[in-house]
Each structure stands twice: as C-alpha cells, then as structure tokens.
Coordinates of all heavy atoms in Angstrom, one line a residue:
M1 N 111.6 91.0 134.9 CA 111.9 90.6 136.4 C 112.2 91.9 137.2 O 112.9 92.8 136.7 CB 113.1 89.7 136.3 CG 113.5 89.3 137.6 SD 115.0 88.2 137.7 CE 114.4 86.7 136.9
K2 N 111.7 92.1 138.3 CA 111.8 93.2 139.2 C 113.2 93.2 139.8 O 113.7 92.1 140.2 CB 110.8 93.3 140.2 CG 109.4 93.6 139.7 CD 108.4 93.9 140.7 CE 107.1 94.2 140.1 NZ 106.1 94.6 141.0
T3 N 113.8 94.5 140.1 CA 115.0 94.5 140.9 C 114.6 94.7 142.3 O 113.4 95.0 142.6 CB 115.8 95.7 140.5 OG1 115.1 96.9 140.8 CG2 116.0 95.7 139.0
W4 N 115.6 94.7 143.2 CA 115.2 94.8 144.7 C 114.6 96.2 145.0 O 113.9 96.3 145.9 CB 116.4 94.6 145.5 CG 117.6 95.6 145.4 CD1 118.6 95.6 144.5 CD2 117.7 96.8 146.2 NE1 119.3 96.6 144.7 CE2 118.9 97.4 145.6 CE3 116.9 97.4 147.2 CZ2 119.4 98.6 146.1 CZ3 117.5 98.6 147.7 CH2 118.6 99.2 147.2
E5 N 115.0 97.2 144.1 CA 114.5 98.6 144.4 C 113.0 98.6 144.1 O 112.3 99.6 144.5 CB 115.2 99.6 143.6 CG 116.8 99.6 144.1 CD 117.7 100.4 143.1 OE1 117.7 100.0 141.9 OE2 118.3 101.3 143.6
E6 N 112.5 97.7 143.2 CA 111.2 97.8 142.7 C 110.2 97.0 143.6 O 108.9 97.1 143.4 CB 111.0 97.5 141.3 CG 111.8 98.3 140.3 CD 112.0 97.8 139.0 OE1 112.3 96.5 138.8 OE2 111.9 98.5 138.0
V7 N 110.7 96.1 144.4 CA 109.9 95.2 145.2 C 109.5 96.0 146.5 O 110.4 96.5 147.2 CB 110.6 94.0 145.6 CG1 109.8 93.1 146.6 CG2 111.0 93.2 144.3
P8 N 108.2 96.3 146.8 CA 107.8 97.2 147.8 C 108.2 96.7 149.2 O 108.5 97.5 150.1 CB 106.3 97.3 147.6 CG 105.9 96.0 146.9 CD 107.1 95.7 146.0
F9 N 108.0 95.4 149.6 CA 108.3 94.9 150.8 C 109.3 93.7 150.7 O 109.2 92.8 149.9 CB 107.1 94.4 151.5 CG 106.0 95.5 151.7 CD1 104.9 95.5 150.8 CD2 106.0 96.4 152.6 CE1 103.9 96.5 151.0 CE2 105.2 97.4 152.7 CZ 104.1 97.4 151.9
A10 N 110.2 93.6 151.8 CA 110.9 92.4 151.9 C 110.2 91.3 152.6 O 109.0 91.5 153.1 CB 112.2 92.8 152.7
G11 N 110.7 90.1 152.6 CA 110.0 89.0 153.4 C 110.1 89.1 154.9 O 111.0 89.8 155.4
Y12 N 109.1 88.6 155.6 CA 109.1 88.8 157.1 C 109.6 87.3 157.6 O 109.2 86.3 157.0 CB 107.7 89.0 157.7 CG 107.2 90.3 157.3 CD1 106.2 90.5 156.3 CD2 107.7 91.4 158.0 CE1 105.7 91.7 156.0 CE2 107.1 92.7 157.6 CZ 106.2 92.8 156.7 OH 105.6 94.1 156.3
I13 N 110.4 87.3 158.6 CA 110.8 86.1 159.3 C 110.1 86.1 160.7 O 110.5 87.0 161.5 CB 112.3 86.0 159.5 CG1 112.9 85.9 158.0 CG2 112.7 84.8 160.3 CD1 114.4 85.9 158.1
L14 N 109.0 85.3 160.8 CA 108.2 85.4 162.1 C 108.8 84.6 163.2 O 108.5 84.7 164.4 CB 106.8 85.1 161.8 CG 106.1 85.9 160.7 CD1 104.8 85.5 160.3 CD2 106.1 87.4 161.1
E15 N 109.6 83.6 162.8 CA 110.1 82.7 163.9 C 111.6 82.5 163.5 O 111.9 82.2 162.4 CB 109.4 81.3 163.9 CG 108.0 81.3 164.1 CD 107.2 79.8 163.8 OE1 108.1 78.9 163.9 OE2 106.2 79.9 163.3
P16 N 112.4 82.5 164.6 CA 113.8 82.3 164.3 C 114.1 80.8 164.0 O 113.3 79.9 164.5 CB 114.5 82.7 165.7 CG 113.4 82.5 166.7 CD 112.1 82.7 166.0
G17 N 115.2 80.5 163.3 CA 115.6 79.1 163.1 C 114.7 78.3 162.2 O 114.6 77.1 162.3
N18 N 113.9 79.0 161.4 CA 113.1 78.1 160.6 C 113.4 78.0 159.1 O 112.7 77.5 158.3 CB 111.6 78.8 160.6 CG 111.6 80.2 159.9 OD1 112.7 80.6 159.5 ND2 110.5 80.9 160.0
A19 N 114.7 78.6 158.8 CA 115.1 78.4 157.4 C 115.1 77.0 156.8 O 114.9 76.9 155.6 CB 116.5 79.1 157.4
E20 N 115.4 76.1 157.7 CA 115.5 74.7 157.2 C 114.1 74.2 156.7 O 114.1 73.3 155.8 CB 115.9 73.7 158.4 CG 116.4 72.4 158.0 CD 116.9 71.6 159.1 OE1 116.7 71.9 160.3 OE2 117.4 70.5 158.8
S21 N 113.1 74.8 157.0 CA 111.7 74.4 156.6 C 111.4 74.8 155.3 O 110.3 74.3 154.7 CB 110.6 74.8 157.7 OG 111.0 74.5 158.9
Y22 N 112.1 75.8 154.8 CA 111.8 76.5 153.4 C 112.6 76.0 152.4 O 113.8 75.8 152.5 CB 111.8 78.0 153.6 CG 110.8 78.5 154.5 CD1 110.9 78.7 155.8 CD2 109.4 78.6 154.0 CE1 110.0 79.2 156.7 CE2 108.4 79.1 154.9 CZ 108.7 79.4 156.2 OH 107.7 79.8 157.1
R23 N 112.0 75.7 151.3 CA 112.7 75.1 150.1 C 113.4 76.3 149.4 O 112.9 76.7 148.3 CB 111.7 74.4 149.2 CG 112.5 73.6 148.2 CD 111.6 72.6 147.4 NE 112.5 72.0 146.4 CZ 112.2 70.8 145.9 NH1 111.2 70.1 146.3 NH2 113.0 70.3 145.0
T24 N 114.5 76.8 150.0 CA 115.1 78.0 149.3 C 115.6 77.7 148.0 O 115.8 78.6 147.1 CB 116.2 78.6 150.2 OG1 117.0 77.5 150.7 CG2 115.7 79.2 151.5
G25 N 115.9 76.4 147.6 CA 116.4 76.0 146.3 C 115.3 76.4 145.3 O 115.7 76.4 144.0
D26 N 114.1 76.6 145.6 CA 113.1 77.0 144.6 C 113.3 78.2 144.0 O 112.8 78.4 142.8 CB 111.7 77.0 145.3 CG 111.0 75.6 145.3 OD1 111.5 74.7 144.8 OD2 109.9 75.6 145.9
W27 N 113.9 79.1 144.6 CA 114.3 80.5 143.9 C 115.8 80.7 143.7 O 116.3 81.7 143.7 CB 113.6 81.5 144.8 CG 113.8 81.6 146.3 CD1 113.0 80.9 147.1 CD2 114.8 82.2 147.0 NE1 113.4 81.2 148.4 CE2 114.5 81.9 148.4 CE3 115.8 83.0 146.7 CZ2 115.2 82.5 149.4 CZ3 116.6 83.5 147.6 CH2 116.4 83.2 149.0
R28 N 116.4 79.5 143.4 CA 117.8 79.6 143.2 C 118.0 80.4 141.9 O 117.2 80.6 141.0 CB 118.3 78.1 142.8 CG 119.8 78.1 142.6 CD 120.3 76.7 142.7 NE 119.5 75.7 142.0 CZ 118.9 74.7 142.5 NH1 118.9 74.5 143.8 NH2 118.3 73.8 141.9
S29 N 119.2 81.1 141.8 CA 119.6 81.8 140.7 C 119.6 80.8 139.5 O 119.5 79.6 139.7 CB 120.9 82.4 140.8 OG 121.9 81.4 140.9
R30 N 119.7 81.3 138.3 CA 119.6 80.3 137.1 C 120.8 79.4 137.0 O 120.9 78.6 136.1 CB 119.5 81.2 135.9 CG 118.1 81.9 135.9 CD 117.9 82.6 134.6 NE 116.8 83.4 134.7 CZ 116.5 84.7 134.6 NH1 117.6 85.4 134.2 NH2 115.4 85.3 134.7
Q31 N 121.8 79.3 137.9 CA 122.9 78.5 137.9 C 122.9 77.6 139.2 O 122.4 78.1 140.2 CB 124.1 79.1 137.7 CG 124.2 79.9 136.3 CD 125.7 80.2 136.0 OE1 126.4 80.8 136.9 NE2 126.0 80.0 134.8
K32 N 123.4 76.4 138.9 CA 123.5 75.5 140.2 C 125.0 75.0 140.2 O 125.6 74.7 139.1 CB 122.5 74.5 140.2 CG 122.7 73.5 139.1 CD 121.6 72.4 139.1 CE 121.8 71.4 138.0 NZ 120.6 70.4 138.1
P33 N 125.5 74.8 141.4 CA 126.9 74.1 141.5 C 126.8 72.7 141.2 O 125.9 72.0 141.7 CB 127.3 74.6 142.9 CG 126.0 74.5 143.6 CD 125.0 75.0 142.7
V34 N 127.8 72.2 140.6 CA 128.0 70.7 140.3 C 129.4 70.4 140.7 O 130.4 71.0 140.2 CB 127.7 70.4 138.8 CG1 127.9 68.9 138.6 CG2 126.3 70.7 138.5
I35 N 129.5 69.4 141.5 CA 130.9 68.9 142.1 C 131.5 67.9 141.1 O 130.8 66.8 140.9 CB 130.7 68.4 143.5 CG1 130.3 69.6 144.3 CG2 132.2 68.0 143.9 CD1 130.0 69.1 145.7
N36 N 132.7 68.1 140.7 CA 133.5 66.9 140.0 C 134.1 66.1 141.1 O 135.2 66.7 141.7 CB 134.4 67.5 139.1 CG 135.2 66.5 138.4 OD1 135.4 65.3 138.7 ND2 135.7 66.9 137.1
Q37 N 133.6 65.0 141.5 CA 134.2 64.3 142.6 C 135.6 63.8 142.4 O 136.5 63.6 143.4 CB 133.3 63.0 142.9 CG 131.9 63.4 143.4 CD 131.9 64.1 144.8 OE1 132.8 64.1 145.6 NE2 130.7 64.7 145.0
E38 N 136.0 63.7 141.1 CA 137.3 63.3 140.8 C 138.4 64.4 141.1 O 139.6 64.1 141.5 CB 137.5 62.8 139.3 CG 136.7 61.6 139.1 CD 136.9 61.1 137.7 OE1 137.6 61.6 136.9 OE2 136.2 60.1 137.4
K39 N 138.0 65.7 141.1 CA 138.8 66.7 141.4 C 138.8 67.1 142.8 O 139.7 67.8 143.4 CB 138.5 67.9 140.6 CG 138.9 67.9 139.0 CD 138.6 69.3 138.5 CE 139.0 69.5 137.1 NZ 138.7 70.8 136.6
C40 N 137.8 66.8 143.5 CA 137.6 67.2 144.9 C 138.6 66.5 145.9 O 138.9 65.3 145.8 CB 136.2 66.8 145.4 SG 135.9 67.1 147.1
T41 N 139.3 67.3 146.7 CA 140.3 66.8 147.6 C 139.7 66.7 149.1 O 140.5 66.5 150.0 CB 141.6 67.7 147.6 OG1 141.0 69.0 148.2 CG2 142.2 67.8 146.3
F42 N 138.4 66.9 149.3 CA 137.7 67.0 150.5 C 138.4 67.8 151.5 O 138.5 67.5 152.7 CB 137.7 65.4 151.0 CG 136.7 65.2 152.1 CD1 135.3 65.5 151.8 CD2 137.0 64.7 153.3 CE1 134.3 65.2 152.8 CE2 136.0 64.5 154.3 CZ 134.7 64.7 153.9
C43 N 138.6 69.0 151.0 CA 139.3 70.0 151.9 C 138.2 70.7 152.8 O 138.5 71.3 153.8 CB 140.0 71.2 151.2 SG 138.9 72.2 150.2
L44 N 136.9 70.6 152.4 CA 135.8 71.2 153.0 C 135.6 72.7 153.1 O 134.9 73.2 153.8 CB 135.7 70.6 154.5 CG 135.5 69.1 154.6 CD1 135.5 68.7 156.1 CD2 134.3 68.6 153.8
L45 N 136.4 73.3 152.2 CA 136.3 74.8 152.3 C 134.9 75.3 151.7 O 134.2 76.1 152.2 CB 137.3 75.5 151.3 CG 138.7 75.6 151.9 CD1 139.6 76.3 150.9 CD2 138.7 76.5 153.2
C46 N 134.3 74.5 150.8 CA 133.0 74.8 150.3 C 132.0 74.6 151.4 O 131.0 75.4 151.6 CB 132.6 73.9 149.1 SG 132.7 72.1 149.5
W47 N 132.1 73.6 152.2 CA 131.2 73.4 153.4 C 131.3 74.5 154.4 O 130.3 74.9 154.9 CB 131.6 71.9 154.0 CG 130.9 71.6 155.2 CD1 129.6 71.0 155.2 CD2 131.4 71.5 156.5 NE1 129.2 70.7 156.5 CE2 130.2 71.1 157.3 CE3 132.5 72.0 157.1 CZ2 130.3 70.9 158.7 CZ3 132.6 71.9 158.5 CH2 131.5 71.4 159.3
I48 N 132.5 75.1 154.6 CA 132.7 76.1 155.5 C 132.1 77.4 155.0 O 131.3 78.1 155.6 CB 134.1 76.3 155.8 CG1 134.7 75.1 156.6 CG2 134.4 77.7 156.6 CD1 136.2 75.1 156.8
Y49 N 132.2 77.7 153.7 CA 131.9 79.1 153.1 C 130.4 79.0 152.7 O 129.8 80.1 152.6 CB 132.7 79.3 151.8 CG 134.0 79.9 152.2 CD1 135.2 79.2 151.9 CD2 134.1 81.2 152.6 CE1 136.4 79.7 152.3 CE2 135.4 81.8 152.8 CZ 136.5 81.0 152.7 OH 137.7 81.7 153.1
C50 N 129.7 78.0 152.4 CA 128.3 78.0 151.9 C 127.5 78.7 153.0 O 127.4 78.3 154.1 CB 127.7 76.6 151.7 SG 126.1 76.7 151.2
P51 N 126.9 79.8 152.6 CA 126.0 80.6 153.5 C 124.8 80.0 153.8 O 124.1 80.4 154.9 CB 125.8 82.0 152.9 CG 126.0 81.6 151.4 CD 127.0 80.6 151.2
D52 N 124.3 78.9 153.1 CA 123.1 78.2 153.4 C 123.2 76.9 154.0 O 122.2 76.2 154.2 CB 122.3 78.1 152.1 CG 121.7 79.5 151.7 OD1 121.0 80.0 152.5 OD2 122.1 79.9 150.6
G53 N 124.4 76.5 154.3 CA 124.5 75.2 154.9 C 124.0 74.1 153.8 O 123.6 73.0 154.2
A54 N 124.2 74.4 152.5 CA 123.7 73.6 151.5 C 124.6 72.5 151.0 O 124.4 71.9 150.0 CB 123.2 74.4 150.4
I55 N 125.8 72.5 151.7 CA 126.8 71.3 151.4 C 126.8 70.4 152.4 O 127.0 70.8 153.6 CB 128.1 72.0 151.0 CG1 128.0 72.9 149.6 CG2 129.2 71.0 150.7 CD1 129.2 73.6 149.1
T56 N 126.7 69.2 152.1 CA 126.9 68.1 153.2 C 128.0 67.2 153.1 O 128.5 67.1 151.9 CB 125.5 67.2 153.1 OG1 125.4 66.7 151.8 CG2 124.2 68.0 153.4
R57 N 128.5 66.7 154.1 CA 129.6 65.9 154.1 C 129.0 64.4 154.3 O 128.3 64.1 155.2 CB 130.5 66.2 155.4 CG 131.0 67.5 155.4 CD 131.6 68.0 156.7 NE 132.4 67.0 157.4 CZ 133.0 67.2 158.6 NH1 132.7 68.3 159.2 NH2 133.7 66.2 159.1
R58 N 129.4 63.6 153.4 CA 129.0 62.2 153.5 C 130.3 61.3 153.3 O 130.9 61.2 152.2 CB 127.9 62.0 152.4 CG 126.9 60.9 152.7 CD 125.9 60.8 151.7 NE 125.1 62.0 151.6 CZ 124.0 62.3 152.4 NH1 123.7 61.7 153.4 NH2 123.4 63.4 152.1
E59 N 130.6 60.7 154.3 CA 131.8 59.9 154.4 C 133.0 60.8 153.9 O 133.2 61.8 154.5 CB 131.7 58.6 153.6 CG 130.7 57.7 154.4 CD 130.4 56.5 153.6 OE1 130.9 56.1 152.6 OE2 129.5 55.7 154.2
S60 N 133.6 60.4 152.8 CA 134.8 61.2 152.2 C 134.4 62.0 151.0 O 135.2 62.4 150.2 CB 135.9 60.3 152.0 OG 135.6 59.3 151.0
K61 N 133.1 62.4 150.9 CA 132.7 63.2 149.8 C 131.7 64.4 150.2 O 131.0 64.1 151.3 CB 132.3 62.5 148.6 CG 131.0 61.8 148.7 CD 130.9 61.2 147.2 CE 129.3 61.0 147.0 NZ 129.1 60.3 145.7
V62 N 131.7 65.4 149.5 CA 130.7 66.5 149.7 C 129.7 66.4 148.6 O 129.9 66.1 147.5 CB 131.4 67.9 149.8 CG1 132.2 68.1 151.0 CG2 132.3 68.1 148.5
E63 N 128.5 66.8 149.0 CA 127.4 66.8 148.1 C 126.5 68.0 148.3 O 126.5 68.6 149.4 CB 126.4 65.6 148.3 CG 127.1 64.3 148.1 CD 126.3 63.1 148.4 OE1 125.1 63.2 149.1 OE2 126.5 61.9 147.9
I64 N 125.9 68.5 147.2 CA 125.1 69.8 147.2 C 123.7 69.3 147.6 O 123.1 68.4 147.0 CB 125.0 70.5 145.9 CG1 126.5 70.6 145.3 CG2 124.3 71.7 146.0 CD1 127.3 71.7 146.0
D65 N 123.0 70.1 148.5 CA 121.7 69.9 148.9 C 120.9 70.9 148.0 O 120.7 72.1 148.4 CB 121.5 70.2 150.3 CG 120.0 70.3 150.8 OD1 119.1 70.0 150.0 OD2 119.8 70.8 151.8
Y66 N 120.4 70.6 146.9 CA 119.6 71.4 145.9 C 118.3 71.8 146.5 O 117.7 72.8 146.0 CB 119.5 70.8 144.6 CG 120.8 70.6 143.9 CD1 121.3 69.2 143.6 CD2 121.6 71.6 143.5 CE1 122.4 69.0 142.9 CE2 122.7 71.4 142.8 CZ 123.2 70.1 142.5 OH 124.4 69.9 141.9
Y67 N 117.9 71.3 147.5 CA 116.6 71.7 148.2 C 116.9 73.1 148.9 O 116.0 73.8 148.9 CB 116.3 70.7 149.3 CG 114.9 70.8 149.9 CD1 113.8 69.9 149.4 CD2 114.6 71.6 151.0 CE1 112.7 70.0 149.9 CE2 113.4 71.7 151.5 CZ 112.3 70.9 151.0 OH 111.2 70.9 151.6
H68 N 118.2 73.3 149.3 CA 118.4 74.6 150.0 C 119.4 75.5 149.2 O 119.5 76.6 149.5 CB 118.8 74.4 151.4 CG 117.9 73.9 152.2 ND1 117.8 72.5 152.7 CD2 116.8 74.4 152.8 CE1 116.8 72.3 153.4 NE2 116.2 73.4 153.6
C69 N 120.2 75.0 148.3 CA 121.2 75.8 147.5 C 120.4 77.0 146.7 O 119.5 76.7 146.0 CB 122.0 75.0 146.6 SG 123.0 75.8 145.4
K70 N 121.0 78.2 147.0 CA 120.4 79.3 146.2 C 121.2 79.7 145.0 O 120.8 80.6 144.3 CB 120.4 80.5 147.2 CG 119.4 80.3 148.4 CD 119.6 81.6 149.3 CE 118.8 81.3 150.6 NZ 119.3 82.2 151.6
G71 N 122.3 79.0 144.7 CA 123.1 79.2 143.5 C 123.9 80.5 143.5 O 124.2 81.0 142.4
C72 N 124.3 80.9 144.8 CA 125.2 82.0 144.8 C 126.5 82.0 144.2 O 127.1 82.9 143.7 CB 125.4 82.5 146.3 SG 126.3 81.3 147.3
G73 N 127.1 80.8 144.1 CA 128.4 80.5 143.5 C 129.6 80.7 144.4 O 130.7 80.5 144.0
I74 N 129.4 80.9 145.7 CA 130.6 81.1 146.5 C 131.5 79.8 146.7 O 132.6 79.9 146.6 CB 130.0 81.6 147.9 CG1 129.4 83.0 147.9 CG2 131.1 81.4 149.0 CD1 128.9 83.4 149.2
C75 N 130.7 78.7 146.7 CA 131.4 77.5 146.8 C 132.3 77.2 145.7 O 133.5 76.8 145.8 CB 130.5 76.3 146.9 SG 129.3 76.2 145.6
A76 N 131.8 77.6 144.4 CA 132.6 77.4 143.2 C 133.9 78.3 143.2 O 135.0 78.0 142.8 CB 131.8 77.6 142.0
Y77 N 133.6 79.6 143.7 CA 134.6 80.7 143.8 C 135.7 80.2 144.7 O 137.0 80.5 144.4 CB 134.0 81.9 144.2 CG 135.0 83.1 144.2 CD1 135.3 83.8 143.0 CD2 135.5 83.5 145.4 CE1 136.2 84.8 143.1 CE2 136.4 84.5 145.5 CZ 136.7 85.2 144.3 OH 137.6 86.3 144.3
E78 N 135.3 79.7 145.9 CA 136.4 79.3 146.9 C 137.0 77.9 146.7 O 138.0 77.8 147.3 CB 135.6 79.4 148.2 CG 135.1 80.7 148.6 CD 136.2 81.8 148.8 OE1 137.3 81.4 148.9 OE2 135.9 83.0 148.9
C79 N 136.6 77.1 145.9 CA 137.1 75.8 145.8 C 138.5 75.9 145.3 O 138.6 76.4 144.1 CB 136.3 74.9 144.9 SG 137.0 73.3 144.6
P80 N 139.6 75.5 146.0 CA 140.8 75.7 145.5 C 141.2 74.6 144.4 O 142.2 74.8 143.7 CB 141.7 75.4 146.8 CG 140.9 74.6 147.6 CD 139.5 74.9 147.4
S81 N 140.4 73.6 144.2 CA 140.7 72.6 143.2 C 140.0 72.7 141.9 O 140.1 71.9 141.0 CB 140.4 71.2 143.8 OG 141.1 71.0 145.0
G82 N 139.2 73.7 141.8 CA 138.4 73.9 140.6 C 137.4 72.8 140.4 O 137.1 72.4 139.3
A83 N 137.0 72.2 141.6 CA 136.1 71.0 141.5 C 134.6 71.3 141.4 O 133.8 70.4 141.0 CB 136.3 70.1 142.7
I84 N 134.2 72.6 141.5 CA 132.8 73.0 141.6 C 132.7 73.9 140.3 O 133.3 74.9 140.2 CB 132.4 73.7 142.8 CG1 132.7 72.7 144.0 CG2 131.0 74.0 142.8 CD1 132.3 73.2 145.3
R85 N 131.7 73.6 139.6 CA 131.4 74.4 138.3 C 130.0 74.8 138.4 O 129.1 74.0 138.8 CB 131.7 73.5 137.1 CG 131.7 74.5 135.8 CD 132.0 73.6 134.6 NE 131.2 74.2 133.6 CZ 130.6 73.5 132.6 NH1 130.7 72.1 132.6 NH2 129.8 74.1 131.6
M86 N 129.7 76.0 138.2 CA 128.3 76.5 138.1 C 127.8 76.2 136.7 O 128.4 76.6 135.7 CB 128.2 78.1 138.4 CG 128.7 78.4 139.7 SD 127.9 77.6 141.1 CE 126.3 78.4 141.0
K87 N 126.7 75.5 136.7 CA 126.0 75.2 135.3 C 124.6 75.8 135.3 O 124.0 75.9 136.2 CB 125.9 73.6 135.3 CG 127.3 73.0 135.1 CD 127.0 71.6 134.8 CE 128.3 70.8 134.3 NZ 128.2 69.4 134.0
S88 N 124.3 76.0 134.2 CA 123.0 76.5 133.8 C 121.9 75.4 134.3 O 122.2 74.2 134.2 CB 122.7 76.7 132.4 OG 121.4 76.5 131.9
E89 N 120.8 75.7 134.8 CA 119.8 74.9 135.3 C 119.4 73.9 134.2 O 119.0 72.8 134.4 CB 118.5 75.6 135.9 CG 118.8 76.4 137.2 CD 118.9 75.5 138.4 OE1 118.5 74.3 138.3 OE2 119.1 76.0 139.5
A90 N 119.5 74.4 133.0 CA 119.1 73.6 131.8 C 120.0 72.6 131.5 O 119.7 71.6 130.9 CB 118.8 74.6 130.7
E91 N 121.3 72.7 131.9 CA 122.3 71.8 131.5 C 122.2 70.5 132.3 O 121.7 70.6 133.5 CB 123.7 72.3 131.9 CG 124.4 73.2 130.8 CD 125.8 73.6 131.3 OE1 126.6 72.9 131.1 OE2 125.9 74.8 131.7
E92 N 122.6 69.4 131.8 CA 122.6 68.2 132.6 C 123.7 68.2 133.6 O 124.7 68.9 133.4 CB 123.0 66.9 131.6 CG 121.9 66.6 130.7 CD 120.8 65.9 131.4 OE1 120.9 65.1 132.4 OE2 119.6 66.3 131.2
A93 N 123.5 67.7 134.8 CA 124.4 67.7 136.0 C 125.6 66.8 135.6 O 125.5 66.0 134.8 CB 123.7 67.3 137.2
Ligands
SF4_1 S1 136.2 73.1 148.2 FE1 136.4 71.9 146.4 S2 138.1 70.4 146.9 FE2 137.3 71.2 148.8 S3 135.7 69.9 149.5 FE3 134.7 71.5 148.4 S4 134.6 70.6 146.2 FE4 136.1 69.5 147.3
SF4_2 S1 126.0 77.9 145.2 FE1 125.9 79.1 147.2 S2 124.1 78.2 148.3 FE2 124.7 76.8 146.6 S3 126.0 75.3 147.6 FE3 127.3 76.9 146.7 S4 127.7 78.4 148.3 FE4 126.0 77.1 148.9

C-alpha cells in the first residue's frame, strides 16, 4: 500500500458541494464504527464531531451512514458513553 508521499497527485474537486454524490465509504479505513444503542444517551456529540456528516439522527437514536463513513474513529473517541466501538470490517456488526 502506498503512503501519501508516494502518490504523485491528489484528487481534484471540480465542483463545490459534491461530496454527497461520492461513496466515500468505499475507501473507509479497515475499521468501522458500530453503535451500542443501549449505551447511547443521545447526547449527539458524535453527530457534531463527525467530519463527514455520516451520522444521522433518527427520532431518538443515531445511526451511521456507512455509505459516507470513512472510518476515522473520531466519533468513537469523542463519545462520552463509550457507546461507539471501532470494529474490523470483517467482524459482524
Ligand atoms: S456520542 Fe455516544 S452517547 Fe452521544 S449520541 Fe453519539 S453514540 Fe450516543
Ligand atoms: S468513523 Fe469518522 S467518518 Fe465514520 S461516522 Fe465516525 S466520525 Fe464519522
């Protein structure tokens, strides 16, 4: 696998506001966040911190949009209840 120093060009963004159209979850890191709804207090910190807007609010619970989640782990790091765990893509959710 190449590092960022070995990749000759970065990607081009030709139109602003188009991130929603791309399936960024396709190149997620090898881990994905999984929410334990029983531990979740619906504080919404994960929703605020997610840099990709990949956490959705649905009534009184939050869900991960794996179509856009890149697996950065910020949500798991910031969750004060320990309700989000990063799991290997190979693990069952
Ligand atoms: S940060 Fe944790 S406790 Fe708060 S809404 Fe997200 S998953 Fe639930
Ligand atoms: S792992 Fe990163 S991109 Fe995915 S939901 Fe959490 S904060 Fe958002």
Side-chain angles (χ1 to χ4, degrees):
M1 186 181 289
K2 291 187 176 186
T3 68
W4 67 271
E5 292 166 308
E6 295 164 321
V7 176
F9 299 105
Y12 295 104
I13 296 175
L14 302 176
E15 297 167 33
N18 64 1
E20 197 178 7
S21 313
Y22 292 95
R23 187 169 184 157
T24 49
D26 270 357
W27 45 274
R28 183 166 49 246
S29 65
R30 294 186 182 122
Q31 293 199 315
K32 65 180 181 185
V34 176
I35 300 174
N36 180 336
Q37 298 291 348
E38 288 180 11
K39 284 187 176 179
C40 175
T41 60
F42 200 54
C43 69
L44 296 178
L45 282 178
C46 57
W47 179 75
I48 292 168
Y49 277 108
C50 176
D52 284 303
I55 294 182
T56 56
R57 299 160 49 176
R58 212 174 295 280
E59 294 175 5
S60 60
K61 71 181 205 178
V62 287
E63 294 175 347
I64 310 286
D65 167 12
Y66 292 115
Y67 193 96
H68 291 105
C69 167
K70 294 177 190 157
C72 66
I74 291 173
C75 56
Y77 181 82
E78 296 294 344
C79 174
S81 306
I84 304 179
R85 194 178 142 220
M86 298 304 288
K87 287 191 172 178
S88 150
E89 291 282 355
E91 274 182 79
E92 287 290 319

